[in-house]
Structure formats: C-alpha cells, structure tokens
PDB file of all heavy atoms in Angstrom:
ATOM      1  N   THR A   5     -12.230 -44.557  80.840  1.00  0.00           N
ATOM      2  CA  THR A   5     -13.428 -44.700  80.016  1.00  0.00           C
ATOM      3  C   THR A   5     -14.411 -45.649  80.676  1.00  0.00           C
ATOM      4  O   THR A   5     -14.062 -46.785  81.014  1.00  0.00           O
ATOM      5  CB  THR A   5     -13.064 -45.226  78.619  1.00  0.00           C
ATOM      6  OG1 THR A   5     -12.136 -44.331  78.012  1.00  0.00           O
ATOM      7  CG2 THR A   5     -14.307 -45.341  77.748  1.00  0.00           C
ATOM      8  N   LEU A   6     -15.615 -45.198  80.850  1.00  0.00           N
ATOM      9  CA  LEU A   6     -16.652 -46.033  81.441  1.00  0.00           C
ATOM     10  C   LEU A   6     -17.182 -46.986  80.381  1.00  0.00           C
ATOM     11  O   LEU A   6     -17.658 -46.548  79.330  1.00  0.00           O
ATOM     12  CB  LEU A   6     -17.791 -45.160  81.965  1.00  0.00           C
ATOM     13  CG  LEU A   6     -18.865 -45.853  82.795  1.00  0.00           C
ATOM     14  CD1 LEU A   6     -18.287 -46.330  84.109  1.00  0.00           C
ATOM     15  CD2 LEU A   6     -20.023 -44.901  83.048  1.00  0.00           C
ATOM     16  N   PRO A   7     -17.067 -48.279  80.597  1.00  0.00           N
ATOM     17  CA  PRO A   7     -17.521 -49.221  79.565  1.00  0.00           C
ATOM     18  C   PRO A   7     -19.032 -49.130  79.379  1.00  0.00           C
ATOM     19  O   PRO A   7     -19.788 -49.016  80.341  1.00  0.00           O
ATOM     20  CB  PRO A   7     -17.112 -50.587  80.131  1.00  0.00           C
ATOM     21  CG  PRO A   7     -17.048 -50.382  81.610  1.00  0.00           C
ATOM     22  CD  PRO A   7     -16.590 -48.961  81.806  1.00  0.00           C
ATOM     23  N   GLU A   8     -19.448 -49.176  78.122  1.00  0.00           N
ATOM     24  CA  GLU A   8     -20.871 -49.096  77.840  1.00  0.00           C
ATOM     25  C   GLU A   8     -21.574 -50.430  78.051  1.00  0.00           C
ATOM     26  O   GLU A   8     -22.763 -50.480  78.342  1.00  0.00           O
ATOM     27  CB  GLU A   8     -21.088 -48.606  76.405  1.00  0.00           C
ATOM     28  CG  GLU A   8     -20.573 -47.176  76.184  1.00  0.00           C
ATOM     29  CD  GLU A   8     -20.815 -46.689  74.776  1.00  0.00           C
ATOM     30  OE1 GLU A   8     -21.377 -47.462  73.970  1.00  0.00           O
ATOM     31  OE2 GLU A   8     -20.447 -45.541  74.473  1.00  0.00           O
ATOM     32  N   GLU A   9     -20.824 -51.520  77.881  1.00  0.00           N
ATOM     33  CA  GLU A   9     -21.394 -52.841  78.086  1.00  0.00           C
ATOM     34  C   GLU A   9     -20.273 -53.822  78.371  1.00  0.00           C
ATOM     35  O   GLU A   9     -19.093 -53.520  78.192  1.00  0.00           O
ATOM     36  CB  GLU A   9     -22.184 -53.286  76.858  1.00  0.00           C
ATOM     37  CG  GLU A   9     -21.359 -53.300  75.587  1.00  0.00           C
ATOM     38  CD  GLU A   9     -22.190 -53.649  74.358  1.00  0.00           C
ATOM     39  OE1 GLU A   9     -23.420 -53.489  74.412  1.00  0.00           O
ATOM     40  OE2 GLU A   9     -21.602 -54.089  73.362  1.00  0.00           O
ATOM     41  N   ALA A  10     -20.652 -54.990  78.844  1.00  0.00           N
ATOM     42  CA  ALA A  10     -19.659 -56.003  79.156  1.00  0.00           C
ATOM     43  C   ALA A  10     -18.966 -56.463  77.876  1.00  0.00           C
ATOM     44  O   ALA A  10     -19.602 -56.609  76.833  1.00  0.00           O
ATOM     45  CB  ALA A  10     -20.319 -57.190  79.843  1.00  0.00           C
ATOM     46  N   PRO A  11     -17.632 -56.668  77.923  1.00  0.00           N
ATOM     47  CA  PRO A  11     -16.927 -57.149  76.733  1.00  0.00           C
ATOM     48  C   PRO A  11     -17.386 -58.555  76.358  1.00  0.00           C
ATOM     49  O   PRO A  11     -17.703 -59.368  77.216  1.00  0.00           O
ATOM     50  CB  PRO A  11     -15.454 -57.143  77.175  1.00  0.00           C
ATOM     51  CG  PRO A  11     -15.490 -57.202  78.663  1.00  0.00           C
ATOM     52  CD  PRO A  11     -16.736 -56.488  79.075  1.00  0.00           C
ATOM     53  N   VAL A  12     -17.450 -58.807  75.060  1.00  0.00           N
ATOM     54  CA  VAL A  12     -17.869 -60.129  74.594  1.00  0.00           C
ATOM     55  C   VAL A  12     -16.879 -60.641  73.568  1.00  0.00           C
ATOM     56  O   VAL A  12     -16.234 -59.873  72.860  1.00  0.00           O
ATOM     57  CB  VAL A  12     -19.289 -60.091  73.979  1.00  0.00           C
ATOM     58  CG1 VAL A  12     -20.324 -59.748  75.021  1.00  0.00           C
ATOM     59  CG2 VAL A  12     -19.351 -59.099  72.825  1.00  0.00           C
ATOM     60  N   GLY A  13     -16.766 -61.984  73.485  1.00  0.00           N
ATOM     61  CA  GLY A  13     -15.949 -62.619  72.464  1.00  0.00           C
ATOM     62  C   GLY A  13     -14.466 -62.519  72.732  1.00  0.00           C
ATOM     63  O   GLY A  13     -13.993 -61.702  73.512  1.00  0.00           O
ATOM     64  N   GLY A  14     -13.705 -63.381  72.050  1.00  0.00           N
ATOM     65  CA  GLY A  14     -12.254 -63.372  72.146  1.00  0.00           C
ATOM     66  C   GLY A  14     -11.747 -63.987  73.431  1.00  0.00           C
ATOM     67  O   GLY A  14     -12.507 -64.330  74.343  1.00  0.00           O
ATOM     68  N   LEU A  15     -10.448 -64.139  73.504  1.00  0.00           N
ATOM     69  CA  LEU A  15      -9.786 -64.714  74.669  1.00  0.00           C
ATOM     70  C   LEU A  15      -8.789 -63.713  75.229  1.00  0.00           C
ATOM     71  O   LEU A  15      -8.135 -62.977  74.482  1.00  0.00           O
ATOM     72  CB  LEU A  15      -9.060 -66.011  74.288  1.00  0.00           C
ATOM     73  CG  LEU A  15      -9.925 -67.185  73.822  1.00  0.00           C
ATOM     74  CD1 LEU A  15      -9.045 -68.323  73.317  1.00  0.00           C
ATOM     75  CD2 LEU A  15     -10.836 -67.667  74.947  1.00  0.00           C
ATOM     76  N   ARG A  16      -8.654 -63.704  76.548  1.00  0.00           N
ATOM     77  CA  ARG A  16      -7.699 -62.830  77.233  1.00  0.00           C
ATOM     78  C   ARG A  16      -6.710 -63.671  78.013  1.00  0.00           C
ATOM     79  O   ARG A  16      -7.076 -64.680  78.628  1.00  0.00           O
ATOM     80  CB  ARG A  16      -8.438 -61.873  78.172  1.00  0.00           C
ATOM     81  CG  ARG A  16      -9.370 -60.914  77.459  1.00  0.00           C
ATOM     82  CD  ARG A  16      -8.612 -59.789  76.791  1.00  0.00           C
ATOM     83  NE  ARG A  16      -9.452 -59.001  75.890  1.00  0.00           N
ATOM     84  CZ  ARG A  16      -9.054 -57.898  75.281  1.00  0.00           C
ATOM     85  NH1 ARG A  16      -7.824 -57.438  75.489  1.00  0.00           N
ATOM     86  NH2 ARG A  16      -9.860 -57.245  74.465  1.00  0.00           N
ATOM     87  N   LEU A  17      -5.466 -63.245  78.011  1.00  0.00           N
ATOM     88  CA  LEU A  17      -4.373 -64.009  78.611  1.00  0.00           C
ATOM     89  C   LEU A  17      -4.065 -63.517  80.018  1.00  0.00           C
ATOM     90  O   LEU A  17      -3.985 -62.313  80.260  1.00  0.00           O
ATOM     91  CB  LEU A  17      -3.119 -63.867  77.744  1.00  0.00           C
ATOM     92  CG  LEU A  17      -1.821 -64.492  78.263  1.00  0.00           C
ATOM     93  CD1 LEU A  17      -1.926 -66.007  78.309  1.00  0.00           C
ATOM     94  CD2 LEU A  17      -0.642 -64.059  77.391  1.00  0.00           C
ATOM     95  N   ILE A  18      -3.874 -64.449  80.945  1.00  0.00           N
ATOM     96  CA  ILE A  18      -3.326 -64.149  82.266  1.00  0.00           C
ATOM     97  C   ILE A  18      -2.151 -65.085  82.524  1.00  0.00           C
ATOM     98  O   ILE A  18      -1.992 -66.106  81.853  1.00  0.00           O
ATOM     99  CB  ILE A  18      -4.376 -64.305  83.390  1.00  0.00           C
ATOM    100  CG1 ILE A  18      -4.861 -65.760  83.498  1.00  0.00           C
ATOM    101  CG2 ILE A  18      -5.546 -63.359  83.170  1.00  0.00           C
ATOM    102  CD1 ILE A  18      -5.693 -66.054  84.730  1.00  0.00           C
ATOM    103  N   GLY A  19      -1.324 -64.752  83.497  1.00  0.00           N
ATOM    104  CA  GLY A  19      -0.205 -65.604  83.864  1.00  0.00           C
ATOM    105  C   GLY A  19      -0.573 -66.517  85.017  1.00  0.00           C
ATOM    106  O   GLY A  19      -1.715 -66.584  85.455  1.00  0.00           O
ATOM    107  N   ARG A  20       0.406 -67.235  85.516  1.00  0.00           N
ATOM    108  CA  ARG A  20       0.225 -68.018  86.736  1.00  0.00           C
ATOM    109  C   ARG A  20       1.591 -68.488  87.220  1.00  0.00           C
ATOM    110  O   ARG A  20       2.572 -68.462  86.480  1.00  0.00           O
ATOM    111  CB  ARG A  20      -0.713 -69.209  86.520  1.00  0.00           C
ATOM    112  CG  ARG A  20      -0.172 -70.359  85.705  1.00  0.00           C
ATOM    113  CD  ARG A  20      -1.202 -71.505  85.628  1.00  0.00           C
ATOM    114  NE  ARG A  20      -0.678 -72.700  84.995  1.00  0.00           N
ATOM    115  CZ  ARG A  20      -0.751 -72.957  83.696  1.00  0.00           C
ATOM    116  NH1 ARG A  20      -1.335 -72.080  82.889  1.00  0.00           N
ATOM    117  NH2 ARG A  20      -0.242 -74.072  83.196  1.00  0.00           N
ATOM    118  N   ARG A  21       1.619 -68.894  88.468  1.00  0.00           N
ATOM    119  CA  ARG A  21       2.846 -69.465  89.024  1.00  0.00           C
ATOM    120  C   ARG A  21       2.502 -70.748  89.739  1.00  0.00           C
ATOM    121  O   ARG A  21       1.337 -71.030  90.029  1.00  0.00           O
ATOM    122  CB  ARG A  21       3.549 -68.480  89.954  1.00  0.00           C
ATOM    123  CG  ARG A  21       2.807 -68.157  91.229  1.00  0.00           C
ATOM    124  CD  ARG A  21       3.546 -67.096  92.037  1.00  0.00           C
ATOM    125  NE  ARG A  21       4.909 -67.484  92.352  1.00  0.00           N
ATOM    126  CZ  ARG A  21       5.820 -66.653  92.882  1.00  0.00           C
ATOM    127  NH1 ARG A  21       5.485 -65.407  93.117  1.00  0.00           N
ATOM    128  NH2 ARG A  21       7.028 -67.063  93.168  1.00  0.00           N
ATOM    129  N   HIS A  22       3.520 -71.534  90.040  1.00  0.00           N
ATOM    130  CA  HIS A  22       3.336 -72.832  90.678  1.00  0.00           C
ATOM    131  C   HIS A  22       4.252 -72.913  91.891  1.00  0.00           C
ATOM    132  O   HIS A  22       5.326 -72.291  91.933  1.00  0.00           O
ATOM    133  CB  HIS A  22       3.653 -73.958  89.685  1.00  0.00           C
ATOM    134  CG  HIS A  22       3.227 -75.319  90.133  1.00  0.00           C
ATOM    135  ND1 HIS A  22       3.977 -76.087  90.992  1.00  0.00           N
ATOM    136  CD2 HIS A  22       2.120 -76.051  89.846  1.00  0.00           C
ATOM    137  CE1 HIS A  22       3.357 -77.233  91.211  1.00  0.00           C
ATOM    138  NE2 HIS A  22       2.223 -77.234  90.526  1.00  0.00           N
ATOM    139  N   LEU A  23       3.836 -73.685  92.867  1.00  0.00           N
ATOM    140  CA  LEU A  23       4.615 -73.827  94.096  1.00  0.00           C
ATOM    141  C   LEU A  23       6.028 -74.335  93.828  1.00  0.00           C
ATOM    142  O   LEU A  23       6.960 -74.020  94.568  1.00  0.00           O
ATOM    143  CB  LEU A  23       3.888 -74.785  95.049  1.00  0.00           C
ATOM    144  CG  LEU A  23       4.501 -74.980  96.438  1.00  0.00           C
ATOM    145  CD1 LEU A  23       4.492 -73.672  97.219  1.00  0.00           C
ATOM    146  CD2 LEU A  23       3.741 -76.063  97.208  1.00  0.00           C
ATOM    147  N   ARG A  24       6.218 -75.108  92.755  1.00  0.00           N
ATOM    148  CA  ARG A  24       7.510 -75.722  92.468  1.00  0.00           C
ATOM    149  C   ARG A  24       8.360 -74.892  91.508  1.00  0.00           C
ATOM    150  O   ARG A  24       9.383 -75.380  91.004  1.00  0.00           O
ATOM    151  CB  ARG A  24       7.307 -77.126  91.909  1.00  0.00           C
ATOM    152  CG  ARG A  24       6.530 -78.052  92.856  1.00  0.00           C
ATOM    153  CD  ARG A  24       6.344 -79.428  92.246  1.00  0.00           C
ATOM    154  NE  ARG A  24       7.587 -80.178  92.230  1.00  0.00           N
ATOM    155  CZ  ARG A  24       8.027 -80.943  93.231  1.00  0.00           C
ATOM    156  NH1 ARG A  24       7.309 -81.061  94.337  1.00  0.00           N
ATOM    157  NH2 ARG A  24       9.161 -81.592  93.143  1.00  0.00           N
ATOM    158  N   THR A  25       7.949 -73.655  91.229  1.00  0.00           N
ATOM    159  CA  THR A  25       8.755 -72.782  90.377  1.00  0.00           C
ATOM    160  C   THR A  25       8.948 -71.440  91.073  1.00  0.00           C
ATOM    161  O   THR A  25       8.246 -71.108  92.017  1.00  0.00           O
ATOM    162  CB  THR A  25       8.084 -72.542  89.014  1.00  0.00           C
ATOM    163  OG1 THR A  25       6.844 -71.838  89.200  1.00  0.00           O
ATOM    164  CG2 THR A  25       7.812 -73.849  88.291  1.00  0.00           C
ATOM    165  N   ASN A  26       9.898 -70.668  90.585  1.00  0.00           N
ATOM    166  CA  ASN A  26      10.113 -69.308  91.084  1.00  0.00           C
ATOM    167  C   ASN A  26      10.692 -68.486  89.944  1.00  0.00           C
ATOM    168  O   ASN A  26      11.898 -68.433  89.763  1.00  0.00           O
ATOM    169  CB  ASN A  26      11.046 -69.307  92.291  1.00  0.00           C
ATOM    170  CG  ASN A  26      11.001 -67.998  93.047  1.00  0.00           C
ATOM    171  OD1 ASN A  26       9.982 -67.318  93.048  1.00  0.00           O
ATOM    172  ND2 ASN A  26      12.095 -67.633  93.694  1.00  0.00           N
ATOM    173  N   ASN A  27       9.791 -67.897  89.152  1.00  0.00           N
ATOM    174  CA  ASN A  27      10.194 -67.207  87.933  1.00  0.00           C
ATOM    175  C   ASN A  27      10.993 -68.189  87.068  1.00  0.00           C
ATOM    176  O   ASN A  27      10.547 -69.304  86.860  1.00  0.00           O
ATOM    177  CB  ASN A  27      10.944 -65.930  88.274  1.00  0.00           C
ATOM    178  CG  ASN A  27      10.105 -65.010  89.158  1.00  0.00           C
ATOM    179  OD1 ASN A  27       8.904 -64.883  88.965  1.00  0.00           O
ATOM    180  ND2 ASN A  27      10.723 -64.375  90.140  1.00  0.00           N
ATOM    181  N   SER A  28      12.182 -67.810  86.615  1.00  0.00           N
ATOM    182  CA  SER A  28      12.921 -68.720  85.727  1.00  0.00           C
ATOM    183  C   SER A  28      14.097 -69.408  86.406  1.00  0.00           C
ATOM    184  O   SER A  28      14.734 -70.270  85.806  1.00  0.00           O
ATOM    185  CB  SER A  28      13.446 -67.936  84.515  1.00  0.00           C
ATOM    186  OG  SER A  28      14.451 -67.013  84.906  1.00  0.00           O
ATOM    187  N   TRP A  29      14.382 -69.048  87.661  1.00  0.00           N
ATOM    188  CA  TRP A  29      15.693 -69.412  88.170  1.00  0.00           C
ATOM    189  C   TRP A  29      15.760 -70.695  88.992  1.00  0.00           C
ATOM    190  O   TRP A  29      16.804 -71.002  89.563  1.00  0.00           O
ATOM    191  CB  TRP A  29      16.345 -68.247  88.905  1.00  0.00           C
ATOM    192  CG  TRP A  29      15.674 -67.680  90.110  1.00  0.00           C
ATOM    193  CD1 TRP A  29      14.570 -66.897  90.141  1.00  0.00           C
ATOM    194  CD2 TRP A  29      16.107 -67.801  91.461  1.00  0.00           C
ATOM    195  NE1 TRP A  29      14.283 -66.512  91.425  1.00  0.00           N
ATOM    196  CE2 TRP A  29      15.211 -67.058  92.260  1.00  0.00           C
ATOM    197  CE3 TRP A  29      17.173 -68.459  92.084  1.00  0.00           C
ATOM    198  CZ2 TRP A  29      15.334 -66.960  93.643  1.00  0.00           C
ATOM    199  CZ3 TRP A  29      17.296 -68.357  93.460  1.00  0.00           C
ATOM    200  CH2 TRP A  29      16.382 -67.616  94.228  1.00  0.00           C
ATOM    201  N   LEU A  30      14.713 -71.502  89.012  1.00  0.00           N
ATOM    202  CA  LEU A  30      14.798 -72.837  89.617  1.00  0.00           C
ATOM    203  C   LEU A  30      14.629 -73.930  88.572  1.00  0.00           C
ATOM    204  O   LEU A  30      14.405 -75.083  88.904  1.00  0.00           O
ATOM    205  CB  LEU A  30      13.730 -72.998  90.708  1.00  0.00           C
ATOM    206  CG  LEU A  30      13.907 -72.145  91.961  1.00  0.00           C
ATOM    207  CD1 LEU A  30      12.803 -72.441  92.965  1.00  0.00           C
ATOM    208  CD2 LEU A  30      15.277 -72.376  92.598  1.00  0.00           C
ATOM    209  N   ALA A  31      14.754 -73.553  87.303  1.00  0.00           N
ATOM    210  CA  ALA A  31      14.453 -74.484  86.213  1.00  0.00           C
ATOM    211  C   ALA A  31      15.441 -75.634  86.116  1.00  0.00           C
ATOM    212  O   ALA A  31      15.154 -76.635  85.448  1.00  0.00           O
ATOM    213  CB  ALA A  31      14.424 -73.733  84.889  1.00  0.00           C
ATOM    214  N   ASN A  32      16.589 -75.526  86.771  1.00  0.00           N
ATOM    215  CA  ASN A  32      17.577 -76.613  86.679  1.00  0.00           C
ATOM    216  C   ASN A  32      17.579 -77.502  87.913  1.00  0.00           C
ATOM    217  O   ASN A  32      18.449 -78.363  88.057  1.00  0.00           O
ATOM    218  CB  ASN A  32      18.983 -76.048  86.449  1.00  0.00           C
ATOM    219  CG  ASN A  32      19.797 -76.911  85.514  1.00  0.00           C
ATOM    220  OD1 ASN A  32      19.316 -77.304  84.453  1.00  0.00           O
ATOM    221  ND2 ASN A  32      21.027 -77.232  85.892  1.00  0.00           N
ATOM    222  N   SER A  33      16.610 -77.306  88.802  1.00  0.00           N
ATOM    223  CA  SER A  33      16.492 -78.161  89.986  1.00  0.00           C
ATOM    224  C   SER A  33      15.817 -79.465  89.587  1.00  0.00           C
ATOM    225  O   SER A  33      14.641 -79.481  89.224  1.00  0.00           O
ATOM    226  CB  SER A  33      15.673 -77.460  91.071  1.00  0.00           C
ATOM    227  OG  SER A  33      15.312 -78.369  92.085  1.00  0.00           O
ATOM    228  N   LYS A  34      16.531 -80.557  89.692  1.00  0.00           N
ATOM    229  CA  LYS A  34      16.012 -81.840  89.206  1.00  0.00           C
ATOM    230  C   LYS A  34      14.772 -82.275  89.965  1.00  0.00           C
ATOM    231  O   LYS A  34      13.873 -82.900  89.410  1.00  0.00           O
ATOM    232  CB  LYS A  34      17.099 -82.910  89.302  1.00  0.00           C
ATOM    233  CG  LYS A  34      17.662 -83.107  90.707  1.00  0.00           C
ATOM    234  CD  LYS A  34      18.852 -84.059  90.707  1.00  0.00           C
ATOM    235  CE  LYS A  34      19.424 -84.196  92.119  1.00  0.00           C
ATOM    236  NZ  LYS A  34      20.640 -85.057  92.126  1.00  0.00           N
ATOM    237  N   ARG A  35      14.698 -81.940  91.255  1.00  0.00           N
ATOM    238  CA  ARG A  35      13.539 -82.391  92.030  1.00  0.00           C
ATOM    239  C   ARG A  35      12.318 -81.501  91.813  1.00  0.00           C
ATOM    240  O   ARG A  35      11.193 -81.946  91.993  1.00  0.00           O
ATOM    241  CB  ARG A  35      13.891 -82.477  93.515  1.00  0.00           C
ATOM    242  CG  ARG A  35      14.073 -81.183  94.241  1.00  0.00           C
ATOM    243  CD  ARG A  35      14.647 -81.420  95.633  1.00  0.00           C
ATOM    244  NE  ARG A  35      16.045 -81.829  95.554  1.00  0.00           N
ATOM    245  CZ  ARG A  35      16.687 -82.493  96.498  1.00  0.00           C
ATOM    246  NH1 ARG A  35      16.055 -82.834  97.604  1.00  0.00           N
ATOM    247  NH2 ARG A  35      17.953 -82.825  96.361  1.00  0.00           N
ATOM    248  N   LEU A  36      12.515 -80.246  91.421  1.00  0.00           N
ATOM    249  CA  LEU A  36      11.373 -79.351  91.234  1.00  0.00           C
ATOM    250  C   LEU A  36      10.718 -79.504  89.862  1.00  0.00           C
ATOM    251  O   LEU A  36       9.517 -79.253  89.718  1.00  0.00           O
ATOM    252  CB  LEU A  36      11.796 -77.897  91.444  1.00  0.00           C
ATOM    253  CG  LEU A  36      12.161 -77.497  92.871  1.00  0.00           C
ATOM    254  CD1 LEU A  36      12.469 -76.012  92.943  1.00  0.00           C
ATOM    255  CD2 LEU A  36      11.060 -77.855  93.860  1.00  0.00           C
ATOM    256  N   ILE A  37      11.484 -79.896  88.846  1.00  0.00           N
ATOM    257  CA  ILE A  37      10.914 -79.964  87.506  1.00  0.00           C
ATOM    258  C   ILE A  37      10.266 -81.312  87.212  1.00  0.00           C
ATOM    259  O   ILE A  37       9.612 -81.467  86.172  1.00  0.00           O
ATOM    260  CB  ILE A  37      11.970 -79.661  86.425  1.00  0.00           C
ATOM    261  CG1 ILE A  37      13.078 -80.723  86.423  1.00  0.00           C
ATOM    262  CG2 ILE A  37      12.544 -78.274  86.626  1.00  0.00           C
ATOM    263  CD1 ILE A  37      14.040 -80.566  85.263  1.00  0.00           C
ATOM    264  N   LYS A  38      10.417 -82.277  88.118  1.00  0.00           N
ATOM    265  CA  LYS A  38       9.793 -83.574  87.862  1.00  0.00           C
ATOM    266  C   LYS A  38       8.281 -83.469  88.037  1.00  0.00           C
ATOM    267  O   LYS A  38       7.761 -82.518  88.618  1.00  0.00           O
ATOM    268  CB  LYS A  38      10.363 -84.628  88.805  1.00  0.00           C
ATOM    269  CG  LYS A  38      10.078 -84.407  90.281  1.00  0.00           C
ATOM    270  CD  LYS A  38      10.777 -85.462  91.132  1.00  0.00           C
ATOM    271  CE  LYS A  38      10.497 -85.236  92.621  1.00  0.00           C
ATOM    272  NZ  LYS A  38      11.198 -86.233  93.460  1.00  0.00           N
ATOM    273  N   GLY A  39       7.575 -84.476  87.530  1.00  0.00           N
ATOM    274  CA  GLY A  39       6.115 -84.458  87.614  1.00  0.00           C
ATOM    275  C   GLY A  39       5.491 -84.047  86.299  1.00  0.00           C
ATOM    276  O   GLY A  39       6.154 -84.008  85.253  1.00  0.00           O
ATOM    277  N   PRO A  40       4.196 -83.722  86.304  1.00  0.00           N
ATOM    278  CA  PRO A  40       3.492 -83.389  85.070  1.00  0.00           C
ATOM    279  C   PRO A  40       3.996 -82.090  84.456  1.00  0.00           C
ATOM    280  O   PRO A  40       4.608 -81.256  85.124  1.00  0.00           O
ATOM    281  CB  PRO A  40       2.033 -83.251  85.528  1.00  0.00           C
ATOM    282  CG  PRO A  40       2.122 -82.913  86.985  1.00  0.00           C
ATOM    283  CD  PRO A  40       3.312 -83.651  87.495  1.00  0.00           C
ATOM    284  N   ASP A  41       3.723 -81.945  83.171  1.00  0.00           N
ATOM    285  CA  ASP A  41       4.079 -80.725  82.449  1.00  0.00           C
ATOM    286  C   ASP A  41       3.313 -79.551  83.045  1.00  0.00           C
ATOM    287  O   ASP A  41       2.090 -79.554  83.108  1.00  0.00           O
ATOM    288  CB  ASP A  41       3.726 -80.901  80.965  1.00  0.00           C
ATOM    289  CG  ASP A  41       4.156 -79.718  80.119  1.00  0.00           C
ATOM    290  OD1 ASP A  41       4.848 -78.821  80.651  1.00  0.00           O
ATOM    291  OD2 ASP A  41       3.801 -79.686  78.926  1.00  0.00           O
ATOM    292  N   ARG A  42       4.049 -78.529  83.497  1.00  0.00           N
ATOM    293  CA  ARG A  42       3.391 -77.366  84.090  1.00  0.00           C
ATOM    294  C   ARG A  42       3.379 -76.160  83.159  1.00  0.00           C
ATOM    295  O   ARG A  42       2.763 -75.151  83.474  1.00  0.00           O
ATOM    296  CB  ARG A  42       4.064 -77.011  85.423  1.00  0.00           C
ATOM    297  CG  ARG A  42       3.705 -78.006  86.523  1.00  0.00           C
ATOM    298  CD  ARG A  42       4.308 -77.623  87.862  1.00  0.00           C
ATOM    299  NE  ARG A  42       5.708 -77.979  87.957  1.00  0.00           N
ATOM    300  CZ  ARG A  42       6.164 -79.172  88.335  1.00  0.00           C
ATOM    301  NH1 ARG A  42       5.305 -80.129  88.641  1.00  0.00           N
ATOM    302  NH2 ARG A  42       7.455 -79.430  88.410  1.00  0.00           N
ATOM    303  N   CYS A  43       4.079 -76.272  82.030  1.00  0.00           N
ATOM    304  CA  CYS A  43       4.045 -75.188  81.046  1.00  0.00           C
ATOM    305  C   CYS A  43       2.969 -75.520  80.019  1.00  0.00           C
ATOM    306  O   CYS A  43       3.236 -76.016  78.918  1.00  0.00           O
ATOM    307  CB  CYS A  43       5.403 -75.012  80.380  1.00  0.00           C
ATOM    308  SG  CYS A  43       5.452 -73.573  79.292  1.00  0.00           S
TER     309      CYS A  43
END
C-alpha cells in the first residue's frame, strides 16, 4: 500500500543491543552486567 501521507502521532518501538550483552545468554557474567542500567 502506497502511503498517502507521512504517519503522525503515537510511539513506535524498536530494539537495540549493547556491546556487553549477547541476546540473553551472557546475563550471568559478573563483569559484563556491571555498570549503568542498560535495560
């Protein structure tokens, strides 16, 4: 569908990753989880 106009209003969600994480499976590494809250 060709949009008739630019969308306005509301919020849209995107994800992100961080150098000190890798999906869910490094969450128990004591040295990687230290520092500021990244979630």
Side-chain angles (χ1 to χ4, degrees):
T5 302
L6 189 67
E8 296 181 0
E9 57 184 21
V12 295
L15 295 173
R16 296 283 169 174
L17 175 66
I18 63 169
R20 72 177 187 270
R21 67 184 303 170
H22 192 278
L23 184 63
R24 302 179 72 88
T25 64
N26 195 29
N27 303 321
S28 68
W29 61 286
L30 292 182
N32 217 48
S33 167
K34 57 187 178 184
R35 72 190 71 202
L36 291 184
I37 64 173
K38 64 184 180 181
D41 184 7
R42 286 183 281 274
C43 186

